[in-house]
Amino acid sequence: MNFETLAQQSISTQHETMAASVAQRIYELRKKSLMESFGGFRNEEHRLEYVASVRGIEFINDSKATNVNATWYALEKMTKPLVWIVGGQDIKNDYKSLKSLVEKQVKAIVCLGVDNTKICKEFGDMVSVIVQTTSAKDAVDTAYRLAESGDAVLFSPAAPSFDLFESYEDRGSQFRNAVNEL
């Protein structure tokens, strides 16, 4: 190999190194601006909203889950053992699609609504603890007593809120307030 060939390879290697350095710098800038743009991101209020962790128990507000499909998504996203707060105005919900998720993850159910007969019937054979409540405060207090450190309390009602609350926002706000009072 002659000197000219070595010089050409050296220049080529320098160009590749320089190009890689420029690419890395651009990537880092993009990565930094992307991280900064997500830094202020907040999940939509009442939709899988982290409320607090109390004594190692996470409380998640999913009051916006006013149907079975939305609750299926919430249950599917959870990775911890759950105390599930569910219920509301019955709109002929079909809970069958939730059964495998409930069987796998839910250790206790806290019903929040006027009539929870259907929920009790659907899940009574797979969840040994089902408790009836009629206020957000009672539901949160009950879920807190049933949960252990490392668990999550998921408030994902799978039903509209109009049996006890003005709206899903009102229901979610009452849940959040009750958690913050623990």
Side-chain angles (χ1 to χ4, degrees):
M1 190 176 291
N2 64 28
F3 177 75
E4 191 174 307
T5 304
L6 283 173
Q8 293 253 326
Q9 283 180 345
S10 176
I11 291 171
S12 178
T13 302
Q14 288 174 349
H15 287 158
E16 288 170 2
T17 302
M18 194 181 315
S21 295
V22 169
Q24 176 65 27
R25 181 71 179 139
I26 290 170
Y27 171 76
E28 287 299 322
L29 288 174
R30 286 186 181 159
K31 182 177 163 187
K32 182 179 178 186
S33 69
L34 185 63
M35 297 297 274
E36 287 172 356
S37 69
F38 281 128
F41 176 76
R42 294 199 58 187
N43 200 22
E44 184 177 352
E45 192 175 39
H46 310 298
R47 183 65 181 139
L48 292 173
E49 171 190 20
Y50 172 83
V51 176
S53 183
V54 180
R55 208 187 79 226
I57 302 164
E58 283 186 22
F59 287 83
I60 309 296
N61 178 2
D62 195 35
S63 180
K64 192 169 184 175
T66 59
N67 61 61
V68 171
N69 289 338
T71 295
W72 181 92
Y73 179 80
L75 286 169
E76 202 266 334
K77 292 292 176 199
M78 297 293 115
T79 57
K80 297 180 175 195
L82 295 175
V83 174
W84 177 32
I85 302 175
V86 59
Q89 187 176 23
D90 185 22
I91 52 170
K92 300 184 180 6
N93 279 342
D94 182 358
Y95 295 105
K96 287 181 182 69
S97 65
L98 303 178
K99 284 190 165 194
S100 66
L101 292 168
V102 169
E103 191 169 41
K104 182 173 75 172
Q105 293 175 255
V106 176
K107 62 189 266 180
I109 291 176
V110 177
C111 295
L112 176 57
V114 173
D115 181 10
N116 300 299
T117 307
K118 193 171 185 180
I119 294 167
C120 294
K121 183 180 176 190
E122 286 290 333
F123 302 110
D125 61 339
M126 60 182 64
V127 178
S128 60
V129 177
I130 299 179
V131 180
Q132 307 278 342
T133 63
T134 56
S135 75
K137 179 159 180 35
D138 285 344
V140 167
D141 289 346
T142 301
Y144 181 63
R145 283 193 309 273
L146 294 171
E148 302 172 289
S149 181
D151 292 350
V153 172
L154 174 65
F155 179 39
S156 190
S161 57
F162 302 116
D163 60 339
L164 295 174
F165 305 94
E166 293 177 21
S167 63
Y168 77 83
E169 295 96 341
D170 175 43
R171 176 173 66 183
S173 294
Q174 287 190 39
F175 171 80
R176 187 183 320 115
N177 292 341
V179 170
N180 288 329
E181 289 175 7
L182 289 175

